[in-house]
C-alpha cells in the first residue's frame, strides 16, 4: 500500500487578520491529530512564533524575512523533512505565512519540494471582516490571494454587523466564485474543514503535540544543538526587514512596508507608551509584541496588538524563567522609522527615574482584556 503523504496547508492572510489566532485554535482543538506548525515571522523578533509556542510546543520558526522571498529554500525543506519523518508522527503540517507574504510563492516552494512524504494540502486565506474593504483598496493584490484560496475564513465576524458581513461575502464570492467561505470569530473554525481529526488517545504522550525537543532530538542525540529549531536562535540578522537578499520585490505586498523592532530590558512607562500608541501615524498598520511595565499589581506580561485603529492589551503570566522584556514589532508603510524608534525609546523607564505609580496604568487597562 502506498505510504500516506502528509498534507501541507498554507495559512495566509494580510497583517493582523488572525492567522496566529486561528493556528492556536487548530493546535488546541486537533484531538488526536498531530499538527506540525511552521511559523514565518516578518521580523527577527519572532512574536508569532512566541505566541504559538506559548500555546503548544509544536512548531518550528522561520524568522526574519518573508518566506516568499527566500532564494534559498533549504531552511523550509529542512523543516519539512524533520516534520515528515515517521518518528515525528505528524499528520498534517500548517505553514503560517507572514502577513505580507505572497501565498503563491509559498505554494510554489511546497510544490517544488523533493520530499516525497508531503503533499500540498491547500491554501487557507484569512480575511479580516472589519478591515477587508480598506485593505483591498490599498492592496489590490489581495484579490489574487483570495482567488487562489481553497478556503476563505472570514474572520472577526464579531466586529461587523450583518449588512457589512453580507457585503464582504458578496465581494468574496465575486473574487472566488464557488470557493467555500467560513465566517468565524477568533479563528474558531471546525478543524475538520482542514484535516481529519483523529480521536484523542488514552495515552497522553501519544496525542500531545510535538515539542521542539522531539523535533531536534532526531538530529542531535545529545539534544543540545537545536540549530535552526531553536526559538532563541541568534541569527546574525539585520534588524530592519531583510528578504534574505536577492528578492524581487516587484508586485510583492511588502515592497512598500517597513518594520521597526524594539527591545527594552528596562520597564516601559505606561503613560508614555499610551501617548505613543494614541498618536501613531496612519501608515503604521500593525503593532504586536509583549510589554513589561513592572508596576506593582501589573507585573504581568501584556501582549499588545494594534491592527489599523484596533488596539488591545492581553494579560498573561510570564513563564517561570522568562526574561522580563518588552519586545515589539511595528509594521507600516510611509512611516518615519527613526521617529518611531525615538518615540519608543522615550517610553523606557531610565535608571534613576522613580517607578511609575499604579494609576498610570489606567490608560492601558482601558484596552486590556483577560
Ligand atoms: N475581535 C476580534 N479580534 C480578533 C479576532 N481574531 C483575531 N483577533 C485579534 O486580532 C489581533 C491580531 O491577531 P493575530 O492572530 O495575531 O493576527 P495575524 O494574522 O497572525 O497577524 P500578523 O502575523 O501580524 O499578520 C489580535 O489582537 C487578536 O486577538 C476575531 O475574530 N475578532
Amino acid at each position: 500500500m502506498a505510504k500516506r503523504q502528509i498534507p501541507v496547508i498554507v495559512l495566509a492572510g494580510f497583517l493582523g487578520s488572525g492567522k496566529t489566532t486561528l493556528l492556536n485554535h487548530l493546535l488546541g482543538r486537533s484531538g488526536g491529530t498531530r499538527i506540525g506548525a511552521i511559523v514565518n515571522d516578518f521580523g527577527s523578533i519572532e512574536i508569532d512564533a512566541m505566541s504559538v509556542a506559548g500555546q503548544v510546543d509544536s512548531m518550528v520558526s522561520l524568522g526574519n524575512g518573508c518566506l516568499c522571498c527566500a532564494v534559498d529554500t533549504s531552511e523550509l525543506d529542512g523543516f519539512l523533512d524533520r516534520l515528515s519523518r515517521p518518528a515525528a508522527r505528524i499528520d498534517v503540517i500548517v505553514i503560517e505565512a507572514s502577513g505580507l507574504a505572497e501565498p503563491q510563492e509559498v505554494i510554489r516552494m511546497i510544490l517544488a519540494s523533493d520530499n516525497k512524504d508531503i503533499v500540498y494540502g491547500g491554501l487557507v486565506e484569512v480575511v479580516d471582516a472589519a478591515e477587508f474593504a480598506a485593505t483591498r483598496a490599498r492592496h489590490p493584490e489581495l484579490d489574487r490571494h483570495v482567488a487562489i484560496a481553497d478556503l476563505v475564513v472570514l474572520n472577526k465576524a464579531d466586529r461587523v454587523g450583518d449588512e457589512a458581513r453580507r457585503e464582504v461575502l458578496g465581494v468574496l464570492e465575486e473574487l472566488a466564485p464557488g470557493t467555500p467561505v467560513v465566517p468565524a470569530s477568533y479563528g474558531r473554525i471546525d478543524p475538520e474543514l482542514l484535516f481529519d481529526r483523529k480521536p484523542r488517545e488514552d495515552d497522553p504522550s501519544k496525542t500531545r503535540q510535538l515539542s521542539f525537543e522531539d523535533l531536534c532530538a532526531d538530529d542531535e542525540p545529545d539534544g543540545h544543538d537545536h540549530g535552526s529549531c531553536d526559538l532563541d536562535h541568534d541569527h546574525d540578522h539585520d534588524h530592519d526587514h531583510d528578504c534574505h537578499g536577492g528578492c524581487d520585490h516587484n508586485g510583492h505586498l511588502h515592497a512598500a512596508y517597513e518594520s521597526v523592532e524594539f527591545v527594552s530590558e528596562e520597564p516601559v512607562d505606561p503613560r508614555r507608551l499610551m501617548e505613543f500608541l494614541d498618536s501613531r501615524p496612519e501608515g503604521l498598520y500593525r503593532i504586536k509584541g509583549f510589554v513589561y511595565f513592572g508596576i506593582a499589581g501589573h507585573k504581568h506580561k501584556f501582549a499588545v496588538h494594534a491592527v489599523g485603529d484596533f488596539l488591545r492589551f492581553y494579560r498573561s503570566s510570564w513563564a517561570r524563567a522568562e526574561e522580563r522584556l518588552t519586545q515589539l514589532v511595528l509594521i507600516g508603510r510611509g512611516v518615519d522609522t527613526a521617529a518611531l524608534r525615538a518615540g519608543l525609546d522615550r517610553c523606557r523607564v531610565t535608571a534613576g527615574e522613580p517607578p511609575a505609580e499604579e494609576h498610570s496604568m489606567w490608560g492601558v487597562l482601558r484596552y486590556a482584556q483577560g
Side-chain angles (χ1 to χ4, degrees):
M1 200 171 78
K3 191 168 166 282
R4 192 181 161 273
Q5 290 177 304
I6 301 171
V8 181
I9 295 169
V10 177
L11 181 59
F14 191 63
L15 291 171
S17 53
K19 298 175 292 298
T20 306
T21 306
L22 193 150
L23 177 57
N24 279 328
H25 167 76
L26 293 178
L27 289 167
R29 298 293 147 86
S30 60
T33 303
R34 281 167 55 113
I35 304 175
I38 298 179
V39 176
N40 177 217
D41 275 287
F42 185 65
S44 61
I45 305 183
E46 296 166 343
I47 301 296
D48 289 358
M50 289 187 256
S51 309
V52 172
Q55 301 292 317
V56 186
D57 219 9
S58 63
M59 50 135 277
V60 288
S61 159
L62 269 171
N64 206 39
C66 278
L67 180 57
C68 67
C69 286
V71 176
D72 174 9
T73 59
S74 59
E75 198 180 6
L76 174 65
D77 289 337
F79 283 159
L80 291 173
D81 287 348
R82 267 173 205 278
L83 291 169
S84 60
R85 275 183 206 154
R89 292 189 293 114
I90 289 279
D91 300 300
V92 57
I93 296 171
V94 179
I95 301 181
E96 181 191 340
S98 94
L100 293 171
E102 291 294 320
Q104 67 275 22
E105 293 299 316
V106 182
I107 296 166
R108 191 182 49 73
M109 287 177 193
I110 299 166
L111 293 175
S113 163
D114 292 333
N115 187 330
K116 299 275 180 292
D117 297 323
I118 59 157
V119 59
Y120 171 55
L123 171 66
V124 178
E125 179 75 14
V126 183
V127 166
D128 181 330
E131 301 284 337
F132 185 59
T135 309
R136 216 183 138 222
R138 288 197 311 275
H139 300 295
E141 309 90 300
L142 281 179
D143 289 3
R144 202 168 13 93
H145 301 179
V146 170
I148 60 167
D150 297 284
L151 175 75
V152 177
V153 176
L154 183 58
N155 195 36
K156 307 201 187 180
D158 58 300
R159 289 194 61 205
V160 294
D162 288 346
E163 198 182 324
R165 185 199 303 199
R166 270 196 298 277
E167 253 170 54
V168 185
L169 283 169
V171 174
L172 292 173
E173 174 58 26
E174 266 172 39
L175 295 177
T179 303
V181 178
V182 192
S185 291
Y186 291 93
R188 290 189 213 110
I189 60 167
D190 181 347
E192 294 269 354
L193 287 168
L194 303 186
F195 47 79
D196 296 334
R197 213 150 63 116
K198 292 186 191 163
R200 210 169 261 286
E201 293 185 43
D202 291 339
D203 175 358
S205 69
K206 289 199 176 141
T207 56
R208 78 179 167 82
Q209 298 294 334
L210 199 68
S211 74
F212 271 170
E213 286 67 29
D214 294 336
L215 281 173
C216 302
D218 267 4
D219 267 358
E220 282 81 42
D222 64 3
H224 287 304
D225 181 7
H226 285 186
S228 54
C229 234
D230 193 346
L231 241 190
D232 298 326
H233 55 184
D234 57 346
H235 294 184
D236 185 16
H237 285 319
D238 251 359
H239 269 237
D240 284 325
H241 172 53
D242 170 10
C243 281
H244 297 275
C247 122
D248 174 11
H249 274 138
N250 292 338
H252 277 202
L253 258 182
H254 49 70
Y257 278 83
E258 287 150 308
S259 69
V260 169
E261 298 182 358
F262 174 77
V263 178
S264 174
E265 287 172 10
E266 297 96 0
V268 158
D269 182 87
R271 278 213 186 96
R272 298 202 290 262
L273 181 67
M274 283 316 297
E275 272 163 30
F276 174 86
L277 292 171
D278 285 342
S279 59
R280 63 192 187 275
E282 210 175 301
L284 182 56
Y285 184 77
R286 182 79 171 110
I287 302 174
K288 56 184 170 179
F290 305 100
V291 186
Y292 179 58
F293 295 110
I295 293 178
H298 304 284
K299 295 200 172 171
H300 312 88
K301 180 174 184 175
F302 283 80
V304 59
H305 282 275
V307 181
D309 292 337
F310 170 90
L311 175 68
R312 282 284 180 289
F313 286 91
Y314 307 86
R315 262 175 296 223
S316 65
S317 306
W318 299 92
R320 196 173 307 163
E322 195 174 356
E323 208 179 340
R324 289 355 181 208
L325 276 185
T326 293
Q327 303 189 73
L328 297 173
V329 174
L330 288 69
I331 305 172
R333 64 178 197 164
V335 289
D336 179 347
T337 53
L340 291 174
R341 276 198 192 94
L344 285 169
D345 275 333
R346 281 193 291 277
C347 296
R348 294 175 203 263
V349 176
T350 50
E353 205 182 321
E357 287 153 10
E358 201 178 338
H359 59 78
S360 63
M361 282 296 291
W362 289 351
V364 169
L365 297 179
R366 270 198 298 134
Y367 292 96
Q369 204 174 302

